[in-house]
Amino acid sequence: MVKNSLLSLSRRKFWPTAAGMLSLAVSCGRRQTTIKNPQEELPLSETRPITHALGTTRVPKVPQRLVALTGTLELEALLVLGVKPFAAAGDDREFGRTVWQPHLKEQMPGVEMLPSRRNVSLEKLAALQPDLIICALVFQIESIYPQLSQIAPTVTLAPGQPWQSHLRLVAEVVGETEQAKARIATFEQRVARLANTYGERIAGITYTTGSWRNQRQFHLSTGHELDQVLQQIGFTRPPEQAQISEPDRGTLRRADISWERLDLIDTDILFFYNYDYPTIQKAHEQPEFKQFLEKEPLLRRLRAIENERAFLVPAYYWFLGRSMGIPMIVDDLESSVLPAIT
């Protein structure tokens, strides 16, 4: 772990050699990994116990080679706390390449990018010689947790919990609990201020969040932490949207809306998730969106589009973001959305 910069340190004395850490054997035609447990290498006085989603783990008080293995919940929390990991997973949704998400990119110079967050290579991870691993309990993490724990003390974050809980846990791991408290308090004060300033003016204004699944279908998304923020400020999501949506993961719910049922998303405001724009945009000002409307004139009848209250919002932090992303949404609401509709 390094505050605000990345240290290039020689291997700490308690670390075994790479060859000692990792040995490979072939059994039944499959490659198996046997790894020495590094938790036995540190004196108890240099560690602290952390209770997390998969148990209690003793972690080093001053980690030097911290890995954010899934590059999601844990990475945003670390960066918000001013802690730059030694290595982290990038976003590998794009075919054939892995990249840093746009809202994180400026803070990632010097951080080694792991090849995939979905398919962890235990051999490559062990070769990095981490002294601490933090990861979200997503993809295959739970099934390989025993092996991860042998490579380095591993702390897991459970999806579906509020971003504040994730931030508090990561802060406990890296010894930044007071900063986490201050960050959360500042966020809550900002939301309360916006509610006091705009609450009465936006009372009853309805909204929809989602994305275009294809040219003839809208992918409705509900149950996100974003909903809590919008509703605390004073916006309203139509209750029928929650009724028609199906459970997705965690608290998220989803539904695919055909053009025949556009009435279900005919709200005062539309927030369209997209991966093309790094910042929030007014939909009616974007040439690509205008071209889309020319092909689909029915959409012009939606109130939000007719009244120029539709916004293209970066999915990287509006939908995927947590400790860093949710406060960034408040930035967008304050600077771009609320002034435009009141």
Side-chain angles (χ1 to χ4, degrees), residues 21-42:
M21 282 184 66
L22 181 65
S23 62
L24 298 174
V26 178
S27 174
C28 301
R30 297 183 63 183
R31 197 171 178 83
Q32 296 183 337
T33 305
T34 304
I35 307 162
K36 184 177 179 180
N37 189 337
Q39 298 184 56
E40 300 173 358
E41 305 293 334
L42 272 180

Side-chain angles (χ1 to χ4, degrees), residues 146-163:
Q147 294 97 312
L148 294 176
S149 296
Q150 290 181 320
I151 294 174
T154 302
V155 173
T156 59
L157 308 181
Q161 295 181 352
W163 68 267

